[in-house]
Amino acid sequence: MDVFYVSVDVGTGSVRAGLFTSDGCMVCTATCSLEMNQSEPHFYEQSSRNVWESTCSVVKEVVSGVKNREQIRGIGFDATCSLVALDGALSPVTVSLSGEDNWNIVVWMDHRAEVQAARINALSHPVLRNVGGKMSLEMQPPKLMWLKEHVYESCWKKARHFMDLPDFLTFKATGSLSRSMCSLVCKWGYQASEENGCYWDDSFWQSIGLQELVSDAYAAIGNLNNICNRVNLMSLK
């Protein structure tokens, strides 16, 4: 029996899926465009509902010719480092000044958090050594600061989960809130090294005014159990 694997790439303007054989040959592809909202200059927002519906659409299209579901052995997701906000019921929470919950993703290229990024970099906190000494305004901590400072009532008070878009996709596909170690280290300031182990640096989050994340044991952005779950799964492969 032939077996296949599905690859999904969520880009800035579209979702693409491909069906591949076990030796890497591409069988077919499908593409679906994504909605984008620009509420202000340099503000770019998307909808997690639209992203997931589009993802399901292209996946269904590429597997439509596979006769037996058991022939599909795996699916992998890749996506931009955009920030998704969800409430306690795992429903969308607005990140937009418009207050519309449909727009619950701060897209990677959104530059609303320029002031917040500058404040982070002025601290010269040791966490910054792992991101080249300077945190980009496209990374997640400055964007979280902006959400707290500018949409506190409509977003910050209601949100219970913030995640990178690739982690949102794995959550929708599996129900697991586990986080990617790669995303957290590269975009969130998570500390991971052979010498010092893996941990969130409490002092960093407290120094940038996001102490709520510390007191909540980082449940909103990926506590140690959720991060370790992904690592353990990877170690079994």
Side-chain angles (χ1 to χ4, degrees):
M1 179 175 66
D2 293 331
V3 297
F4 303 97
Y5 298 85
V6 178
S7 174
V8 178
D9 176 30
V10 179
T12 306
S14 66
V15 182
R16 299 165 290 275
L19 183 69
F20 294 85
T21 63
S22 58
D23 57 359
C25 293
M26 186 170 65
V27 178
C28 62
T29 63
T31 302
C32 183
S33 61
L34 293 174
E35 299 171 354
M36 180 79 75
N37 183 52
Q38 188 174 7
S39 58
E40 299 282 342
H42 309 300
F43 284 41
Y44 297 93
E45 300 152 357
Q46 289 181 320
S47 161
S48 66
R49 286 196 181 105
N50 174 242
V51 169
W52 183 244
E53 289 170 358
S54 300
T55 297
C56 292
S57 175
V58 293
V59 170
K60 289 177 180 177
E61 184 174 342
V62 297
V63 303
S64 61
V66 179
K67 297 179 180 179
N68 189 333
R69 184 179 298 179
E70 293 183 359
Q71 291 178 265
I72 307 297
R73 295 298 176 86
I75 183 169
F77 297 102
D78 180 35
T80 63
C81 57
S82 300
L83 178 64
V84 183
L86 303 173
D87 65 15
L90 300 168
S91 297
V93 173
T94 187
V95 296
S96 178
L97 291 172
S98 71
E100 297 178 64
D101 285 331
N102 183 59
W103 304 117
N104 70 312
I105 299 177
V106 182
V107 180
W108 68 272
M109 63 181 182
D110 183 292
H111 284 185
R112 70 183 67 188
E114 181 177 5
V115 171
Q116 288 74 17
R119 282 160 43 197
I120 290 175
N121 293 326
L123 296 173
S124 298
H125 193 280
V127 160
L128 300 181
R129 291 180 299 191
N130 291 344
V131 291
K134 182 179 180 181
M135 186 161 284
S136 167
L137 76 169
E138 294 177 358
M139 293 181 180
Q140 310 304 12
K143 291 179 179 177
L144 291 172
M145 290 172 65
W146 188 95
L147 293 176
K148 180 179 179 180
E149 294 170 8
H150 292 273
V151 283
Y152 184 84
E153 293 294 331
S154 58
C155 176
W156 189 258
K157 282 181 64 174
K158 297 178 180 179
R160 293 295 178 269
H161 304 279
F162 295 102
M163 59 183 71
D164 249 58
L165 185 51
D167 291 330
F168 169 78
L169 296 171
T170 60
F171 154 67
K172 291 295 288 184
T174 67
S176 171
L177 289 170
S178 65
R179 303 299 207 276
S180 162
M181 178 78 76
C182 177
S183 292
L184 293 185
V185 171
C186 295
K187 302 297 182 181
W188 293 74
Y190 187 68
Q191 304 296 286
S193 68
E194 293 182 356
E195 297 80 11
N196 301 315
C198 301
Y199 63 96
W200 290 111
D201 190 316
D202 294 353
S203 66
F204 170 71
W205 296 97
Q206 291 164 342
S207 69
I208 65 173
L210 300 181
Q211 57 276 355
E212 301 97 323
L213 300 178
V214 180
S215 60
D216 197 29
Y218 300 101
I221 61 174
N223 61 33
L224 295 182
N225 288 331
N226 283 336
I227 298 167
C228 290
N229 282 342
R230 178 71 65 85
V231 174
N232 289 339
L233 286 171
M234 291 174 61
S235 69
L236 295 175
K237 295 179 180 179

